[in-house]
């Protein structure tokens, strides 16, 4: 992936532009929604999709992504599936939360 599927600037436009379908939503929520839409038509490696954002590896299969509106997204990479692909689970928060409480 040579360029991000969405940028911080695009997230900000979606969040603050009154005509946007995401007006007033957190950047983490917008990121998760757009990543889901992107994944429906594109195959990608999740590490490449998040490299453009401030992120931190929490454990072997969980990453935390930080956004400028202080919201966060946690991405969990699921076990290998029969077709050699992996699913992901995303949880978003409007605030910075304790990583241990996210996926239980």
């Amino acid at each position: 992936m040579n360029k991000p599927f969405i940028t911080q600037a695009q997230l900000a436009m979606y969040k603050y532009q009154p005509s946007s379908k995401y007006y007033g939503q957190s950047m983490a929520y917008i990121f998760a929604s757009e990543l889901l839409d992107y994944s429906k038509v594109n195959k990608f490696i999740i590490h490449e999709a998040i490299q453009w954002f401030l992120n931190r590896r929490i454990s072997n299969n969980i990453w935390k992504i930080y956004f400028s509106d202080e919201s966060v997204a946690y991405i969990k990479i699921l076990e290998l599936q029969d077709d050699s692909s992996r699913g992901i689970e995303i949880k978003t928060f409007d605030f910075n939360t304790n990583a241990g409480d996210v996926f239980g």
Side-chain angles (χ1 to χ4, degrees):
M1 183 176 284
N2 295 331
K3 60 181 185 167
F5 74 95
I6 194 166
T7 65
Q8 286 276 5
Q10 288 171 308
L11 290 173
M13 281 183 28
Y14 280 143
K15 178 179 175 107
Y16 298 112
Q17 199 167 48
S19 61
S20 167
K21 66 181 178 179
Y22 296 118
Y23 179 66
Q25 298 292 330
S26 72
M27 289 181 175
Y29 174 82
I30 298 166
F31 174 87
S33 298
E34 288 296 307
L35 184 61
L36 177 62
D37 290 347
Y38 182 79
S39 71
K40 290 178 182 175
V41 294
N42 298 285
K43 289 189 177 205
F44 62 94
I45 299 171
I46 192 64
H47 308 95
E48 293 178 359
I50 66 172
Q51 73 181 346
W52 306 98
F53 298 91
L54 177 62
N55 69 82
R56 180 170 69 102
R57 189 177 194 164
I58 301 296
S59 69
N60 228 11
N61 62 340
I62 299 175
W63 278 262
K64 181 178 183 179
I65 305 168
Y66 302 85
F67 299 95
S68 59
D69 67 347
E70 298 185 0
S71 63
V72 294
Y74 288 89
I75 297 180
K76 180 178 184 179
I77 299 175
L78 304 176
E79 295 298 318
L80 193 61
Q81 299 172 359
D82 293 336
D83 64 356
S84 297
S85 67
R86 295 183 188 265
I88 60 172
E89 182 178 349
I90 302 176
K91 295 194 178 187
T92 63
F93 297 89
D94 294 344
F95 54 89
N96 201 347
T97 185
N98 182 357
D101 298 334
V102 176
F103 292 106

